[in-house]
Amino acid sequence: GVGDHVAVVGQQWFDHLQDARVPHCCLRQRPAIEHLVAELGPVAAITMIVEMPELGSMDGKQAASLAGLAPITRESGKWKGKSRIGGGRRSLRRALYMPALVAIRHNAQLGQVYTTLCSAGKPAKLAITAVMRKLLLLANALIRDGRKWTETAP
């Protein structure tokens, strides 16, 4: 099926990058990455590896800020504007968008995050961005701790 095909393509990408000796030796040191390929899809996982070799070596706030997924509050004196995201690595943000949509539908915990934010009156785009950030923080934690992806948090 499609899932088997995605797993094969992900493994091919993983093997290719290992053979190509990707800078920072990021693949050999990180056993959780091949599981990210299976869960996020090959394009998003490989983009995360290539665009953010620092993954696993920083805390969540730093990772979100580097990817441009941290909220930037616009304030001046008594005036308060809307918070926005920006800066960071745009290609990484773009690569996380579709996996976030898939995770909202197929991952119970991430779908709950989206539903909770939407039912609290937040815009759908904000809720999707929150799921993108959660995916990034999850990948960072998995790589940092050398764990595999599981459906429920340990």
Side-chain angles (χ1 to χ4, degrees), residues 100 102-118 131:
V102 171
I104 288 167
R105 290 184 137 205
H106 300 287
N107 184 302
Q109 290 176 328
L110 295 174
Q112 185 62 40
V113 168
Y114 177 82
T115 305
T116 303
L117 288 170
C118 286
V131 173

Tab-separated table of all heavy atoms in Angstrom, residues 100 102-118 131:
chain	number	residue	atom	x	y	z
A	100	ALA	N	1.874	18.524	9.644
A	100	ALA	CA	1.004	18.995	10.725
A	100	ALA	C	-0.460	18.714	10.393
A	100	ALA	O	-1.228	18.264	11.256
A	100	ALA	CB	1.211	20.490	10.975
A	102	VAL	N	-1.578	16.325	8.474
A	102	VAL	CA	-1.758	14.880	8.582
A	102	VAL	C	-1.835	14.474	10.053
A	102	VAL	O	-2.673	13.653	10.444
A	102	VAL	CB	-0.617	14.134	7.850
A	102	VAL	CG1	-0.672	12.651	8.124
A	102	VAL	CG2	-0.692	14.404	6.359
A	103	ALA	N	-0.975	15.059	10.881
A	103	ALA	CA	-0.962	14.729	12.307
A	103	ALA	C	-2.272	15.128	12.983
A	103	ALA	O	-2.745	14.426	13.881
A	103	ALA	CB	0.208	15.428	12.997
A	104	ILE	N	-2.859	16.223	12.558
A	104	ILE	CA	-4.140	16.657	13.138
A	104	ILE	C	-5.202	15.585	12.908
A	104	ILE	O	-6.007	15.301	13.790
A	104	ILE	CB	-4.566	18.015	12.541
A	104	ILE	CG1	-3.661	19.122	13.084
A	104	ILE	CG2	-6.029	18.313	12.837
A	104	ILE	CD1	-3.784	20.433	12.342
A	105	ARG	N	-5.174	14.962	11.741
A	105	ARG	CA	-6.180	13.937	11.413
A	105	ARG	C	-5.866	12.569	12.005
A	105	ARG	O	-6.766	11.827	12.357
A	105	ARG	CB	-6.302	13.785	9.903
A	105	ARG	CG	-6.930	14.960	9.251
A	105	ARG	CD	-7.102	14.695	7.789
A	105	ARG	NE	-8.435	15.173	7.431
A	105	ARG	CZ	-9.123	14.719	6.422
A	105	ARG	NH1	-8.639	13.771	5.669
A	105	ARG	NH2	-10.307	15.215	6.158
A	106	HIS	N	-4.585	12.216	12.091
A	106	HIS	CA	-4.232	10.835	12.408
A	106	HIS	C	-3.539	10.618	13.749
A	106	HIS	O	-3.357	9.477	14.145
A	106	HIS	CB	-3.375	10.246	11.286
A	106	HIS	CG	-4.076	10.242	9.967
A	106	HIS	ND1	-5.101	9.366	9.675
A	106	HIS	CD2	-3.925	11.028	8.872
A	106	HIS	CE1	-5.541	9.612	8.450
A	106	HIS	NE2	-4.849	10.608	7.946
A	107	ASN	N	-3.126	11.675	14.425
A	107	ASN	CA	-2.479	11.540	15.727
A	107	ASN	C	-3.429	12.111	16.773
A	107	ASN	O	-3.757	13.303	16.735
A	107	ASN	CB	-1.144	12.290	15.746
A	107	ASN	CG	-0.389	12.102	17.032
A	107	ASN	OD1	-0.888	12.413	18.106
A	107	ASN	ND2	0.830	11.607	16.926
A	108	ALA	N	-3.874	11.274	17.693
A	108	ALA	CA	-4.898	11.684	18.663
A	108	ALA	C	-4.456	12.868	19.514
A	108	ALA	O	-5.230	13.812	19.720
A	108	ALA	CB	-5.263	10.501	19.556
A	109	GLN	N	-3.218	12.852	19.996
A	109	GLN	CA	-2.753	13.933	20.870
A	109	GLN	C	-2.637	15.257	20.118
A	109	GLN	O	-3.070	16.298	20.613
A	109	GLN	CB	-1.413	13.572	21.495
A	109	GLN	CG	-1.520	12.470	22.519
A	109	GLN	CD	-0.168	12.065	23.052
A	109	GLN	OE1	0.833	12.114	22.339
A	109	GLN	NE2	-0.134	11.663	24.308
A	110	LEU	N	-2.052	15.228	18.933
A	110	LEU	CA	-1.894	16.461	18.165
A	110	LEU	C	-3.240	16.949	17.635
A	110	LEU	O	-3.478	18.153	17.541
A	110	LEU	CB	-0.884	16.261	17.043
A	110	LEU	CG	0.539	15.980	17.530
A	110	LEU	CD1	1.449	15.647	16.357
A	110	LEU	CD2	1.092	17.139	18.314
A	111	GLY	N	-4.124	16.030	17.312
A	111	GLY	CA	-5.478	16.421	16.916
A	111	GLY	C	-6.212	17.098	18.054
A	111	GLY	O	-6.970	18.053	17.848
A	112	GLN	N	-5.966	16.628	19.267
A	112	GLN	CA	-6.584	17.238	20.451
A	112	GLN	C	-6.065	18.663	20.668
A	112	GLN	O	-6.824	19.545	21.047
A	112	GLN	CB	-6.319	16.379	21.687
A	112	GLN	CG	-7.012	16.863	22.934
A	112	GLN	CD	-8.530	16.855	22.784
A	112	GLN	OE1	-9.099	15.944	22.200
A	112	GLN	NE2	-9.182	17.880	23.299
A	113	VAL	N	-4.779	18.885	20.432
A	113	VAL	CA	-4.210	20.234	20.545
A	113	VAL	C	-4.933	21.170	19.586
A	113	VAL	O	-5.354	22.271	19.964
A	113	VAL	CB	-2.690	20.217	20.246
A	113	VAL	CG1	-2.137	21.617	20.069
A	113	VAL	CG2	-1.937	19.473	21.324
A	114	TYR	N	-5.099	20.727	18.341
A	114	TYR	CA	-5.776	21.533	17.326
A	114	TYR	C	-7.227	21.813	17.726
A	114	TYR	O	-7.689	22.960	17.678
A	114	TYR	CB	-5.732	20.808	15.982
A	114	TYR	CG	-6.460	21.527	14.879
A	114	TYR	CD1	-5.854	22.564	14.192
A	114	TYR	CD2	-7.755	21.174	14.528
A	114	TYR	CE1	-6.521	23.239	13.186
A	114	TYR	CE2	-8.432	21.833	13.514
A	114	TYR	CZ	-7.804	22.862	12.845
A	114	TYR	OH	-8.461	23.531	11.854
A	115	THR	N	-7.936	20.778	18.146
A	115	THR	CA	-9.345	20.924	18.517
A	115	THR	C	-9.510	21.860	19.703
A	115	THR	O	-10.407	22.710	19.713
A	115	THR	CB	-9.951	19.539	18.856
A	115	THR	OG1	-9.724	18.673	17.744
A	115	THR	CG2	-11.433	19.637	19.133
A	116	THR	N	-8.646	21.734	20.695
A	116	THR	CA	-8.720	22.587	21.882
A	116	THR	C	-8.523	24.051	21.514
A	116	THR	O	-9.274	24.917	21.981
A	116	THR	CB	-7.649	22.160	22.911
A	116	THR	OG1	-7.845	20.789	23.240
A	116	THR	CG2	-7.719	23.010	24.164
A	117	LEU	N	-7.529	24.338	20.690
A	117	LEU	CA	-7.283	25.725	20.295
A	117	LEU	C	-8.439	26.289	19.465
A	117	LEU	O	-8.850	27.435	19.669
A	117	LEU	CB	-5.970	25.829	19.523
A	117	LEU	CG	-4.703	25.664	20.362
A	117	LEU	CD1	-3.492	25.529	19.470
A	117	LEU	CD2	-4.541	26.837	21.306
A	118	CYS	N	-8.954	25.495	18.531
A	118	CYS	CA	-10.065	25.969	17.695
A	118	CYS	C	-11.320	26.199	18.524
A	118	CYS	O	-12.037	27.187	18.320
A	118	CYS	CB	-10.343	24.993	16.564
A	118	CYS	SG	-9.105	25.047	15.262
A	131	VAL	N	0.538	23.042	16.102
A	131	VAL	CA	0.836	21.627	15.847
A	131	VAL	C	2.196	21.493	15.154
A	131	VAL	O	2.971	20.579	15.471
A	131	VAL	CB	-0.294	20.967	15.021
A	131	VAL	CG1	0.082	19.563	14.597
A	131	VAL	CG2	-1.578	20.948	15.830
